[in-house]
Amino acid sequence: MDVRTFLKEHTLIFDGAMGSYLMTKYHRPADGCETTNLEAPEQVKAVHQAYLASGCNAIKTNTFGLPRMAAAGNPLWEALTDEGWRLAA
C-alpha cells in the first residue's frame, strides 16, 4: 500500500530506539549495536517483532551509527547496511 493512502485513514506509528533495546535486552555494547545485524540477526528480528506486536506499523533499520562508521572508513558499514535493510523488510 502506498504510504500516502495509508495516512489518509491511519496514524503511522514507528518503532522505538533499536540501540537502547539491544543494549538493555541483549547487553550489546553502546558503540556497536549495528554490528548485531551480522553477529546476531535473530536479536534484531526479535526486536522488530516485539515492536510490531506492541502496535507499531512502521519498522526502521538498525543502521543509526553506520554513517559514522562509513566516515571512519570501517569496511563493514556496507554489509551492515544491507543486512539492516534485509532484517527490517
Side-chain angles (χ1 to χ4, degrees):
M1 172 186 290
D2 180 79
V3 71
R4 291 170 291 203
T5 303
F6 180 86
L7 289 172
K8 287 180 183 177
E9 297 183 21
H10 301 90
T11 300
L12 193 58
I13 302 170
F14 279 91
D15 60 353
M18 175 65 78
S20 297
Y21 202 126
L22 289 168
M23 287 186 293
T24 301
K25 184 167 176 93
Y26 298 108
H27 310 290
R28 302 298 299 182
D31 63 345
C33 287
E34 291 80 8
T35 61
T36 310
N37 292 347
L38 295 175
E39 295 171 354
E42 70 283 354
Q43 292 176 355
V44 176
K45 286 172 73 173
V47 174
H48 287 321
Q49 291 168 345
Y51 277 121
L52 289 168
S54 72
C56 82
N57 51 23
I59 294 293
K60 296 175 283 186
T61 61
N62 181 33
T63 56
F64 181 80
L66 295 181
R68 184 175 58 249
M69 290 176 82
N74 186 321
L76 283 178
W77 78 269
E78 288 183 85
L80 293 168
T81 301
D82 291 344
E83 189 64 5
W85 278 98
R86 188 189 72 75
L87 292 167

